[in-house]
């Protein structure tokens, strides 16, 4: 006679366990403002690029920096923010991040120039760096392991909510207020989130935290900024062999290599390089980074397609993005069921193949393509993303002990943000270069001083065409044709990146859990015997 196994005692205190779903709601509200900010900004890009008093007259390069100032600081500080959360307490770090984010939002709303907007967006990035990893780390410490996949799925679905609310909110604000309102709207959300955080969320920390790696933080931020600056500059000049472009890009790569070497030798690294010896962990991280590389680059140009080429308003553009958000909202919480049935590898690879196909479908869009086709593309893009984000997030978070939840979350979000920043920089530069090469021959009638400015982006060309009156009408058609060609080239590049990511997941992510396969085999056997 065997003694029945004694069930393991719950590791979550009963008082915390009872309010775990309310805590998840507060965490999703905190996550919402971080994601909401980027999705709102995407709709406002065209308005901000419009000359004063409507916008700031930002160039395409300045717009890329307004986005990347946020994502680069965000990515560069995530390691440190995750470690500080593990050391000082995740709740304290969350509240601090929310307050800084709210302050940066208020300042960004009052920006008087593109440079000021870039600086204040960087402050917002500091706040966001302390919010994002802490939300997932707290989640891992208020849910038992068997409920974590479901909770992470709902958490990932929060991204879908933010993507849905962001463009619509941004469109409504831009229809009725000045462009700065898209940042000011964050402030009341921050206040509500902080109050709920203080009332509901328990604090947690790593009992054995490491020291803060200041050298590693500095190297990672400097390396990323130099690399992305070189890429963006190359797109602006349409010349990646320019000495300034080559020097800054190579310097960035050298600093990043130095960062990796330093981390390997440090006794208190920002990144524990040994984590990456786990092929499953590395493949999941790579999949998330490459998905956001492709997605952020495509989102950047899709706003110009809907507003500049198709003539939709910011609010209409936000509504057009609803299928993307709805698909994530529907499928992200349910992706765990697909993983249970088919395994992580099949689910994630399938999601990436769908995403690649939809990115390639952008290459078929024209100035008069029925708009429902774009809606179908957005819906299936969201579906593909939902089946990548949830499984890979679960793999990453469960690969490390829960005491290291802040570090695991920081790594996941760092590579997501770095992938997004590089996607905007690389695919934005591909878009800019392809556009300039297509429009250059049509700018011969303009004065020499205006040619370079007019070739920077479709908005710059259309702005100059409007000033020329009837003489500029010919430029409008040429600008639309050149942009569509550039969009097609960029979309195919994004599709290629998504396919590379699919190959990585096929090679390294695990298949179906042996237990699930065995249970199905048993069920089939029982069914046959009956």
């Amino acid at each position: 006679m065997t003694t029945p196994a004694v069930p393991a005692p719950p590791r979550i205190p009963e008082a915390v366990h009872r309010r775990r779903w309310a805590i998840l709601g507060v965490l999703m509200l905190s996550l919402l403002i971080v994601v909401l900010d980027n999705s709102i900004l995407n709709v406002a890009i065209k308005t901000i690029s419009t000359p004063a008093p409507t916008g700031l007259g930002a160039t395409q390069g300045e717009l890329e920096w307004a986005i990347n100032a946020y994502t680069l600081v965000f990515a560069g500080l995530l390691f440190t923010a995750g470690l500080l959360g593990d050391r000082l307490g995740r709740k304290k770090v969350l509240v601090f991040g929310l307050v800084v984010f709210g302050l940066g939002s208020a300042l960004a709303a009052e920006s008087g120039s593109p440079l000021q907007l870039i600086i204040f967006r960087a402050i917002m990035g500091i706040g966001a760096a302390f919010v994002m990893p802490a939300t997932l780390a707290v989640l891992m410490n208020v849910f038992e392991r068997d409920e974590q996949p479901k909770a992470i799925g709902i958490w990932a679905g929060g991204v879908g909510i933010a993507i849905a609310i962001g463009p619509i909110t941004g469109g409504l604000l831009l229809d009725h207020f000045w462009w700065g309102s898209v940042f000011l709207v964050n402030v009341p959300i921050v206040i509500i989130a902080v109050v709920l955080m203080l009332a509901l969320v328990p604090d947690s920390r790593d009992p054995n935290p490491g020291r803060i790696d200041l050298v590693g933080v500095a190297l990672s931020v400097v390396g990323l900024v130099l690399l992305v600056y070189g890429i963006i500059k190359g797109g602006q000049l349409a010349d990646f062999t320019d000495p300034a472009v080559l020097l800054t890009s190579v310097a960035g790569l050298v600093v990043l290599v130095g960062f990796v070497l330093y981390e390997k030798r440090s006794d208190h690294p920002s990144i524990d390089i040994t984590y990456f010896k786990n092929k499953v962990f590395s493949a999941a991280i790579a999949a998330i980074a490459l998905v956001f590389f492709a997605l952020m680059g495509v989102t950047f140009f899709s706003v110009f397609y809907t507003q500049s080429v198709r003539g939709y308003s910011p609010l209409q553009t936000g509504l057009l993005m609803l299928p993307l958000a709805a698909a994530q909202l529907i499928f992200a919480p349910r992706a765990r069921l697909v993983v249970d049935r088919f395994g992580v590898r099949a689910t994630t690879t399938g999601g990436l193949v769908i995403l690649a196909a939809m990115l390639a479908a952008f290459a078929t869009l024209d100035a008069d393509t029925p708009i429902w086709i774009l809606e179908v593309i957005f819906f299936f893009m969201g579906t593909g993303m939902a089946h990548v984000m949830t499984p890979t997030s679960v793999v990453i978070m469960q690969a490390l002990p829960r005491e290291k939840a802040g570090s695991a979350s920081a790594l996941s979000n760092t590579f997501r943000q770095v992938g997004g920043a590089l996607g905007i920089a690389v695919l934005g530069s591909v878009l800019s270069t392809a556009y300039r090469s297509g429009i250059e021959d049509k700018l011969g009638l303009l004065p020499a001083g205006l040619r370079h400015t007019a070739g920077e982006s479709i908005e710059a060309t259309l702005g100059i065409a409007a000033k020329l009156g009837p003489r500029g009408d010919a430029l409008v058609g040429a600008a639309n044709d050149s942009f569509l060609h550039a969009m097609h080239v960029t979309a195919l590049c994004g599709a290629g990146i998504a396919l590379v990511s699919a190959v990585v997941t096929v090679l390294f992510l695990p298949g179906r859990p042996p237990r699930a396969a065995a249970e199905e085999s048993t069920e089939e056997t029982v069914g046959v015997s009956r």
Side-chain angles (χ1 to χ4, degrees):
M1 181 176 176
T2 58
T3 304
V6 178
R11 58 182 181 79
I12 310 296
E14 179 59 28
V16 174
H17 183 73
R18 280 200 308 269
R19 64 177 191 268
R20 66 195 185 283
W21 297 109
I23 292 169
L24 179 60
V26 179
L27 297 176
M28 287 177 65
L29 182 62
S30 304
L31 172 72
L32 182 137
I33 61 166
V34 175
V35 180
L36 182 79
D37 178 72
N38 267 337
S39 58
I40 280 183
L41 183 61
N42 284 335
V43 175
I45 282 172
K46 181 178 181 294
T47 305
I48 294 171
S49 68
T50 305
T54 304
L56 292 175
T59 65
Q60 185 155 314
E62 287 169 337
L63 287 173
E64 290 176 31
W65 272 111
I67 297 171
N68 284 332
Y70 177 86
T71 52
L72 282 176
V73 173
F74 190 178
L77 291 179
L78 274 169
F79 301 134
T80 303
L83 289 172
L84 282 173
D86 291 343
R87 170 187 283 272
L88 302 176
R90 284 120 190 181
K91 178 177 178 176
K92 297 183 184 71
V93 162
L94 251 175
V95 171
F96 170 78
L98 286 168
V99 171
V100 173
F101 187 88
L103 178 63
S105 298
L107 291 170
E110 298 299 327
S111 299
S113 68
L115 178 60
Q116 286 184 9
L117 179 61
I118 290 166
I119 292 169
F120 296 142
R121 287 275 297 162
I123 293 174
M124 293 171 68
I126 294 171
F130 286 86
V131 172
M132 181 73 94
T135 59
L136 203 47
V138 170
L139 182 155
M140 298 299 286
N141 280 273
V142 298
F143 284 91
E144 298 289 353
R145 190 175 180 86
D146 60 336
E147 281 189 322
Q148 286 173 3
K150 180 180 180 182
I152 289 175
I154 295 171
W155 179 88
V159 175
I161 296 172
I163 291 174
I165 295 173
I168 296 168
T169 305
L172 284 168
L173 290 169
L174 290 171
D175 273 3
H176 295 92
F177 304 101
W178 94 114
W179 64 266
S181 61
V182 302
F183 297 111
L184 203 59
V185 72
N186 292 331
V187 177
I189 302 175
V190 164
I191 293 170
I192 294 169
V194 168
V195 171
L196 292 174
M197 189 79 57
L198 294 173
L200 291 173
V201 177
D203 210 352
S204 61
R205 66 183 74 196
D206 183 351
N208 299 301
R211 302 204 315 273
I212 303 303
D213 177 20
L214 295 177
V215 175
V217 171
L219 288 173
S220 64
V221 173
V222 171
L224 283 170
V225 169
L226 286 173
L227 177 62
V228 173
Y229 176 82
I231 295 168
I232 292 174
K233 193 68 177 174
Q236 283 180 319
L237 300 174
D239 181 9
F240 287 90
T241 62
D242 183 87
V245 173
L246 287 175
L247 283 173
T248 50
S249 300
V250 171
L253 288 172
V254 169
V255 173
L256 289 174
V257 169
F259 165 70
V260 172
L261 295 175
Y262 178 83
E263 295 299 283
K264 288 179 71 174
R265 297 180 181 181
S266 174
D267 59 356
H268 59 287
S270 293
I271 302 180
D272 188 340
I273 303 298
T274 59
Y275 294 161
F276 292 93
K277 291 180 180 178
N278 182 330
K279 291 180 180 179
V280 172
F281 180 85
S282 298
I285 287 279
I288 280 185
L290 290 171
V291 162
F292 269 77
F293 181 102
L295 183 77
M296 291 297 286
V298 170
T299 303
F300 185 75
F301 69 63
S302 66
V303 172
F304 286 101
Y305 171 70
T306 53
Q307 293 188 39
S308 299
V309 176
R310 302 300 298 262
Y312 290 102
S313 69
L315 176 57
Q316 289 170 326
T317 297
L319 292 170
L320 286 173
M321 289 184 177
L322 265 178
L324 176 68
Q328 285 203 57
L329 194 57
I330 293 166
F331 294 112
R334 294 169 175 78
R336 65 189 174 84
L337 303 176
V338 183
V339 171
D340 290 343
R341 179 72 177 83
F342 298 104
V344 173
R345 181 194 301 148
T347 303
T348 306
T349 303
L352 286 165
V353 170
I354 292 171
L355 182 61
M358 293 306 102
L359 292 172
F362 266 95
T364 67
L365 299 180
D366 215 331
D368 54 0
T369 300
I371 203 65
W372 66 264
I373 293 178
L374 179 65
E375 298 297 87
V376 171
I377 291 172
F378 275 148
F379 182 81
F380 280 102
M381 277 182 71
T383 303
M385 276 196 69
H387 289 89
V388 176
M389 292 293 299
T390 301
T392 51
S393 295
V394 172
V395 165
I396 291 165
M397 294 305 296
Q398 294 191 342
L400 303 181
R402 84 183 166 96
E403 292 77 14
K404 302 296 181 185
S407 301
S409 177
L411 275 171
S412 170
N413 285 296
T414 296
F415 278 85
R416 180 183 301 159
Q417 293 302 319
V418 169
L422 289 174
I424 291 168
V426 174
L427 294 184
S429 294
V430 170
L431 182 74
S432 182
T433 302
Y435 179 77
R436 185 182 287 278
S437 65
I439 197 72
E440 216 156 24
D441 294 343
K442 314 294 190 304
L443 302 177
L445 297 177
L446 295 178
L450 285 179
R451 286 177 203 161
H452 182 81
T453 303
E456 280 193 349
S457 68
I458 184 172
E459 277 306 302
T461 308
L462 294 177
I464 288 172
K467 290 177 183 177
L468 293 175
R471 291 186 301 131
D473 290 347
L475 276 181
V476 175
N480 286 340
D481 291 343
S482 298
F483 178 82
L484 286 169
H485 168 71
M487 183 181 81
H488 295 163
V489 171
T490 308
L492 291 174
C493 289
I497 295 294
L499 285 176
V500 168
S501 187
V503 172
V504 170
T505 59
V506 166
L507 292 176
F508 298 113
L509 285 186
R512 296 180 62 197
R515 186 177 63 180
E519 286 174 357
E520 183 174 294
S521 175
T522 302
E523 288 171 5
E524 288 174 356
T525 303
V526 171
V528 169
S529 65
R530 286 175 182 172

